Amino acid sequence: TSHTFRRVTWKAAIDHRLSQDVMVYGSYSRGYKAGTYNTIPLSAEPANPEIVDAYEVGLKSELFGRRVRLNGALFWSDIKDPQVQTVVGTGFSAASGLINAGSARTRGAELSVTAVATSGLELRGNVTYLDAKYTDFTNAPHYEGGVLGGPSSYPILTGATDIGSEAIFPANFDATSYRLPNAPK
């Protein structure tokens, strides 16, 4: 089979200088990650494209004769069909593949400060708060157990609904409201 993935992406932004040293801005953008086929095992249906609508408002400033830079932002992203890496069972072996969750959301705030203390010494500080969760992921794969010795000493992953503890068949569960992987608070 074949499939062509096409999407238009964009970014719209507006900014306003409150003074020569202080600017506020806002932006809205749409991002896109093409769908893909899982090749091991070969799948007739590709993972859907991932589409992100991102919103941001912020402040950029240089204060005290440009000796202090203070920047801050609030952001929010709605993600449709996020692509999630998973283990795909192929009988007695496993491969890495992609599936789609229904939707996800990230939101948060960032603040950074840079100060020139003396000539040659610059101090920097940053803080970020991130809240990233699935808002719809009812078919999330779930594996329990661990790696066992399989036929011919190949390691295998046991699933919650495995057959004879040798084949890989994950159980599905509702991961709605679970945190996104690799997105610490």
Side-chain angles (χ1 to χ4, degrees):
T1 68
S2 68
H3 193 84
T4 302
F5 300 101
R6 292 186 187 133
R7 293 287 190 280
V8 174
T9 61
W10 66 83
K11 179 174 184 176
I14 188 168
D15 63 59
H16 178 70
R17 290 204 171 267
L18 300 175
S19 71
Q20 185 174 353
D21 298 327
V22 179
M23 179 188 74
V24 292
Y25 67 92
S27 70
Y28 166 56
S29 62
R30 171 160 287 176
Y32 161 77
K33 181 178 176 184
T36 185
Y37 286 94
N38 292 317
T39 56
I40 301 176
L42 187 58
S43 172
E45 292 299 317
N48 292 330
E50 180 177 295
I51 299 170
V52 179
D53 286 317
Y55 312 89
E56 182 174 345
V57 293
L59 167 87
K60 294 190 177 286
S61 65
E62 292 182 327
L63 309 169
F64 306 110
R66 295 189 162 177
R67 297 184 62 83
V68 176
R69 180 176 299 136
L70 176 65
N71 298 329
L74 300 172
F75 57 89
W76 182 293
S77 296
D78 291 316
I79 308 166
K80 179 184 176 203
D81 292 324
Q83 296 174 1
V84 180
Q85 189 170 14
T86 187
V87 175
V88 179
T90 60
F92 291 103
S93 63
S96 179
L98 290 177
I99 62 170
N100 291 103
S103 59
R105 181 247 320 124
T106 63
R107 62 184 176 189
E110 297 176 320
L111 181 65
S112 68
V113 177
T114 303
V116 178
T118 63
S119 178
L121 177 62
E122 189 175 273
L123 305 173
R124 297 179 186 195
N126 300 290
V127 63
T128 300
Y129 170 77
L130 177 64
D131 181 29
K133 295 182 179 179
Y134 291 109
T135 53
D136 177 22
F137 196 7
T138 57
N139 64 330
H142 175 67
Y143 295 90
E144 291 179 1
V147 177
L148 301 175
S152 306
S153 298
Y154 290 104
I156 58 168
L157 184 68
T158 62
T161 59
D162 59 350
I163 298 174
S165 295
E166 294 186 6
I168 301 167
F169 296 99
N172 288 339
F173 79 108
D174 187 354
T176 301
S177 80
Y178 277 61
R179 294 194 58 72
L180 295 177
N182 303 317
K185 223 170 186 130

